[in-house]
Amino acid sequence: MAETEIIHGIIDRVIYHNEENGFAVFVVQLGRDNSVTVKGTVASITAGEQVSIRGVWNMHQKFGKQFDAHACEKQAPSSISGLKKYLGSGLIKGIGPAYADKLVTAFGEKVLEVIDKNPERLRSVPGIGAKRVEIIITAWKDQREISNIMVFLQNKGISTTYAVKIYKQYKENSIAIIEENPYRLAQDIWGIGFKTADQIAQKNGVAADCKRRITAALLHIIQTTASDGNLYIALDDLKTETATLLELELEAIQLIIKGALHDLYNADKIKLLTYQDIHYITLPSFYFSEKGIAHKVVKLLEYPCNHTFDLATIEQSFEKTATENSVALNEHQRNGVIACLQHKVTIITGGPGTGKTTLIKKLLTILDTQRVKYSLAAPTGRAAKRITEGTGRPASTLHRLLDFDVSTMGFRHNESNALALDYLIVDEASMIDVFLAQALLKALPYSAHLVLIGDIDQLPSVGAGNFLHDMIASKKITTIHLQHIFRQAQNSLIVINAHKINNGEFPVSSHEDSRKDFIFIKEDNPENIPQHLETIFGKGLRHYGIHKDDAIVLTPMHRGVAGTQKLNHDLQQMLCGPYEGPVMTYAGAQYQIGDRVMQLRNNYDKHVFNGDIGIIESINAEDKIMQVNFLGQLVEYETSDLNELVHAYAISIHKSQGSEFAAVVIPLFMQHFMMLQRNLLYTAVTRAKKLCIIIGQSKAVAMAVKNNKSVERITFLQQFLTSDLACR
């Protein structure tokens, strides 16, 4: 066994550092002409720092003699060369290599002391003004606090990648809060799960079976059930999952769980609902969201509207249009328009090519003629853009319509400040989760009409709940199902196959006079996907007049050779080629100007939302700031924000809802068998406008087409709309 040694030196450069797990490869200068490559896990690492590293020497077959670090103690640099490297590394926002050189030249070995204790002296350096001094002061203070948190987390065996997020949330109280109640991390900070918080808690001496730990686990499971779309969890399932999560025997903690649930109930932190003799647990916010929706819908249906329409004259106008105009409404479309004018709440649902947009345009023409005030909206920016393109009228996202206020973390339009409109028409309503639905309904005047348009056969919302499905299932809402495929839509194999899939039939590659816009490439080996993508993105798209930027890969899963992670890496290399510009890195991914990226969560501070897709427009390597363009809106990201982004050359089918792309490529293999469902494949195919290509196994496609047993979400909106079901 190799003998442990301690080496001392200055970090010359960092070759690789994974901020997620702390693993790093870096070069340490031991003397003037003596340097060594070191690898190991470190809290943070910056060129120029003085280090004492304990570890063992190792002879690598390819790279020669290396030092494997077991522990690393760091000190701020004291030499001139070390200080220049340290300050020029980008560690402190506002100081890059150029400013580092100026500062070290001006203040020599005392430069860090000046920044720390007399920062006003920085203004004496040419080119450094008051604004940059403020940036440097703030960054220096933040970095010092973040370093303390990193060391604290490292001592607890936790990845230091969370340090910046923790500091942003709790500031100088970070360590005190973590020590007092580490379980707050899982509730307050996106990206930190219960396991991480629990690891810190147990390092702090929290007993495995104490009530505090069990209470935290119960809340965590109730909250995270929403990530699967559920709003409730059966009590027996909650108990079992809690014991499994904590790796304890259920029998041994039954009484503690009972006491914890009793305390949570008395503190009004959970609700209990009993339905068909099964007890369900939920959070008050989940319960009141569904209950609030049901209450408002019932009130809307009862409340008189501000406008009455001459329905007989409007129906006559349909006949006139049919004789004068080739674009005539069919019977279902006419019924849909009349229903929207006649009823306070109406749902229009139908697949591609069934005329939903034509129906909306006719409705809007009538509302314009009658001078009725309306708004058009959709859950995402891309979906809103599609309505605008389809109708010629402006549309906005629901978040923009409701006007989110960052200072209050709520919408400005609510029950006290209703929207000033008579009609609200919302497209892609299947995407709306229960929380956005509640906010929307709260902001709607009682006199207003609500028209929800969507495809009920698509996947349910990414967020929790089953809003559109439950509204239809209640049979309280007038619902028009558009089923007829119009002749112009019948010319598209995409449309034909979407309906075939929805009817449980295998898609076809040709059909009468239809254009060949649907291709099935049979491939049994998912390892060959990159070669097919090379052909498609290299030549295939050009044949259809489609630019590579208008194409996307949609896949069922994130991991594996056919998952988003691997395919994004392949496509970035394939589509972007050699790149020498500024970059930002996070968790092994490299972000560069021109990359297509996707937001992974609702970030109300930045006004970007889960599933939004943008293009990286600029990267400031010195200040470590990246700007992403989301449909004309520039949003800034720092390094600590990058866990909210992923590359979006390939995205999951779930995340594609509400978007359309000129070309869609869908890898489908039996390794995806857990996800192979009819509504998943149907959703993917209906994202394509001009070209849809499936690469994969016939068996996998057949399995998806046959499997119509989508996972049922545990929600009670349908029951709230039809009964006086109440929580206790």
Side-chain angles (χ1 to χ4, degrees):
M1 186 174 178
E3 188 176 340
T4 301
E5 291 186 32
I6 296 176
I7 61 173
H8 307 277
I10 295 172
I11 297 174
D12 182 58
R13 67 185 187 277
V14 179
I15 298 171
Y16 173 79
H17 186 211
N18 186 324
E19 295 187 26
E20 198 162 278
N21 59 25
F23 178 77
V25 180
F26 52 99
V27 176
V28 174
Q29 199 168 357
L30 303 177
R32 177 173 291 182
D33 299 313
N34 185 15
S35 62
V36 64
T37 299
V38 180
K39 58 185 177 68
T41 301
V42 292
S44 63
I45 195 136
T46 307
E49 287 179 313
Q50 294 178 189
V51 289
S52 296
I53 305 170
R54 182 168 55 82
V56 295
W57 291 101
N58 176 37
M59 185 60 70
H60 193 280
Q61 278 187 329
K62 183 176 180 181
F63 300 111
K65 195 175 183 181
Q66 293 183 338
F67 196 74
D68 290 345
H70 296 163
C72 179
E73 291 184 10
K74 300 176 299 174
Q75 291 179 324
S78 57
S79 69
I80 295 296
S81 62
L83 285 163
K84 284 183 179 180
K85 284 179 181 176
Y86 182 72
L87 290 174
S89 67
L91 175 76
I92 303 167
K93 188 188 291 187
I95 304 178
Y99 282 114
D101 193 63
K102 287 182 179 182
L103 288 167
V104 175
T105 300
F107 302 113
E109 295 175 358
K110 293 187 179 295
V111 63
L112 296 183
E113 185 180 334
V114 171
I115 294 172
D116 190 32
K117 296 178 180 175
N118 305 105
E120 67 280 355
R121 291 181 59 191
L122 299 178
R123 293 185 64 179
S124 65
V125 178
I128 296 185
K131 186 176 180 181
R132 187 165 292 275
V133 169
E134 283 300 315
I135 292 172
I136 292 170
I137 291 171
T138 302
W140 177 256
K141 179 192 171 190
D142 289 353
Q143 190 57 46
R144 202 167 45 190
E145 292 286 349
I146 290 164
S147 295
N148 291 337
I149 299 168
M150 283 181 167
V151 172
F152 176 83
L153 290 175
Q154 190 180 38
N155 290 337
K156 302 295 181 187
I158 306 300
S159 168
T160 59
T161 187
Y162 304 120
V164 178
K165 283 189 168 291
I166 293 170
Y167 177 66
K168 277 188 173 181
Q169 180 75 24
Y170 303 132
K171 294 296 182 185
E172 61 275 1
N173 298 318
S174 296
I175 292 176
I177 287 172
I178 295 171
E179 287 186 316
E180 179 199 351
N181 182 13
Y183 293 109
R184 279 185 60 178
L185 293 171
Q187 296 175 22
D188 295 344
I189 300 172
W190 188 82
I192 296 183
F194 177 83
K195 286 284 189 183
T196 300
D198 190 44
Q199 193 176 338
I200 296 172
Q202 294 201 63
K203 290 267 186 176
N204 277 356
V206 174
D209 62 350
C210 80
K211 185 187 281 189
R212 180 183 173 195
R213 182 176 185 240
I214 289 169
T215 301
L218 288 165
L219 285 173
H220 167 74
I221 291 168
I222 299 167
Q223 288 166 337
T224 54
T225 191
S227 64
D228 296 323
N230 301 305
L231 292 171
Y232 300 79
I233 182 169
L235 179 57
D236 288 345
D237 292 340
L238 174 61
K239 292 176 180 178
T240 302
E241 288 186 30
T242 299
T244 302
L245 176 67
L246 299 179
E247 298 179 355
L248 297 171
E249 291 296 326
L250 179 57
E251 291 76 14
I253 57 171
Q254 282 271 25
L255 288 176
I256 306 173
I257 289 177
K258 184 176 181 181
L261 287 169
H262 189 267
D263 292 346
L264 288 169
Y265 179 81
N266 286 339
D268 203 26
K269 291 185 176 179
I270 59 170
K271 291 281 186 184
L272 170 66
L273 184 147
T274 303
Y275 181 71
Q276 294 182 343
D277 297 326
I278 298 175
H279 298 305
Y280 294 93
I281 302 293
T282 187
L283 298 179
S285 60
F286 294 3
Y287 167 74
F288 287 116
S289 290
E290 284 201 318
K291 194 73 172 174
I293 291 168
H295 176 78
K296 185 62 179 277
V297 167
V298 170
K299 289 294 182 184
L300 275 171
L301 294 172
E302 294 173 350
Y303 201 90
C305 57
N306 290 335
H307 291 269
T308 56
F309 300 91
D310 186 346
L311 299 181
T313 302
I314 290 169
E315 287 180 336
Q316 287 175 6
S317 74
F318 293 155
E319 299 297 333
K320 188 177 180 182
T321 303
T323 58
E324 295 179 357
N325 193 327
S326 59
V327 182
L329 302 185
N330 66 20
E331 183 181 357
H332 284 100
Q333 288 174 307
R334 295 179 186 186
N335 291 341
V337 172
I338 295 299
C340 294
L341 299 173
Q342 200 171 22
H343 300 284
K344 293 292 297 303
V345 184
T346 312
I347 295 172
I348 308 292
T349 182
T354 56
K356 296 191 295 293
T357 302
T358 303
L359 186 157
I360 298 171
K361 287 170 70 175
K362 183 61 178 177
L363 173 63
L364 296 180
T365 300
I366 294 169
L367 297 181
D368 284 335
T369 303
Q370 300 286 326
R371 296 184 179 179
V372 175
K373 187 171 184 181
Y374 61 81
S375 288
L376 285 170
T380 67
R382 283 177 171 261
K385 186 180 178 184
R386 281 173 48 208
I387 309 175
T388 299
E389 292 169 349
T391 65
R393 275 84 161 184
S396 70
T397 64
L398 289 172
H399 288 93
R400 193 171 295 279
L401 176 75
L402 298 175
D403 193 9
F404 190 82
D405 182 0
V406 176
S407 63
T408 63
M409 293 306 289
F411 293 106
R412 287 191 175 93
H413 287 294
N414 50 40
E415 61 269 48
S416 303
N417 179 29
L419 293 162
L421 47 72
D422 299 303
Y423 265 78
L424 177 58
I425 300 155
V426 183
D427 198 13
E428 295 288 356
S430 63
M431 292 181 64
I432 302 174
D433 65 33
V434 71
F435 308 114
L436 186 55
Q438 187 204 20
L440 175 67
L441 283 156
K442 281 167 71 174
L444 206 61
Y446 283 108
S447 59
H449 290 248
L450 176 63
V451 179
L452 299 171
I453 300 162
D455 188 343
I456 196 61
D457 295 313
Q458 287 184 27
L459 290 165
S461 60
V462 175
N466 213 354
F467 171 63
L468 189 66
H469 175 274
D470 288 349
M471 291 273 281
I472 294 172
S474 73
K475 298 185 178 178
K476 285 281 187 181
I477 315 301
T478 300
T479 302
I480 303 296
H481 296 270
L482 302 179
Q483 296 173 321
H484 174 74
I485 307 173
F486 283 83
R487 184 173 297 172
Q488 60 269 33
Q490 290 176 359
N491 293 332
S492 168
L493 272 176
I494 294 172
V495 174
I496 290 168
N497 282 327
H499 287 275
K500 279 187 171 294
I501 291 165
N502 202 27
N503 292 327
E505 301 172 33
F506 199 92
V508 296
S509 296
S510 62
H511 187 271
E512 297 176 5
D513 298 325
S514 298
R515 58 186 184 272
K516 194 171 177 61
D517 56 4
F518 184 99
I519 300 169
F520 178 32
I521 300 172
K522 292 183 180 180
E523 174 59 71
D524 287 327
N525 185 0
E527 298 279 357
N528 293 333
I529 293 175
Q531 291 96 295
H532 290 294
L533 294 180
E534 283 271 14
T535 303
I536 292 166
F537 282 89
K539 299 177 182 177
L541 295 177
R542 284 202 300 271
H543 177 73
Y544 285 83
I546 298 171
H547 193 274
K548 63 182 182 179
D549 292 344
D550 295 325
I552 198 165
V553 176
L554 303 181
T555 182
M557 301 183 79
H558 294 294
R559 300 188 183 278
V561 293
T564 59
Q565 295 171 357
K566 170 71 164 56
L567 294 179
N568 267 315
H569 179 269
D570 293 342
L571 286 163
Q572 185 191 37
Q573 304 297 312
M574 193 185 302
L575 300 176
C576 301
Y579 178 80
E580 295 180 356
V583 299
M584 288 178 69
T585 59
Y586 181 80
Q590 178 173 289
Y591 296 97
Q592 56 197 43
I593 294 171
D595 270 344
R596 185 197 295 167
V597 293
M598 182 174 64
Q599 175 74 12
L600 291 177
R601 64 178 287 249
N602 290 343
N603 188 320
Y604 295 102
D605 290 327
K606 296 182 186 295
H607 291 281
V608 286
F609 304 98
N610 191 354
D612 284 354
I613 294 176
I615 303 294
I616 297 175
E617 190 158 296
S618 68
I619 293 175
N620 184 328
E622 187 170 282
D623 291 342
K624 294 190 175 180
I625 291 176
M626 183 168 80
Q627 284 192 322
V628 180
N629 189 327
F630 292 97
L631 295 176
Q633 176 193 358
L634 284 179
V635 179
E636 283 193 353
Y637 289 83
E638 298 179 18
T639 304
S640 61
D641 300 322
L642 293 186
N643 69 336
E644 296 185 11
L645 287 179
V646 289
H647 284 106
Y649 300 106
I651 66 175
S652 71
I653 296 170
H654 282 83
K655 291 286 189 182
S656 72
Q657 290 171 261
S659 297
E660 273 190 348
F661 306 90
V664 163
V665 182
I666 309 165
L668 217 62
F669 292 87
M670 288 306 295
Q671 66 178 227
H672 297 141
F673 76 94
M674 291 287 291
M675 303 291 292
L676 294 178
Q677 295 173 352
R678 185 183 300 174
N679 60 357
L680 184 93
L681 180 56
Y682 174 78
T683 299
V685 169
T686 54
R687 300 308 91 202
K689 287 192 290 187
K690 295 181 179 179
L691 178 64
C692 179
I693 301 173
I694 295 178
I695 304 171
Q697 299 164 300
S698 299
K699 186 177 179 182
V701 176
M703 176 177 280
V705 167
K706 290 177 183 176
N707 183 10
N708 199 29
K709 296 178 182 177
S710 54
V711 178
E712 290 294 324
R713 294 185 169 189
I714 305 176
T715 64
F716 285 102
L717 177 57
Q718 177 186 346
Q719 288 76 15
F720 287 144
L721 283 164
T722 55
S723 70
D724 59 354
L725 183 68
C727 240
R728 290 192 285 118

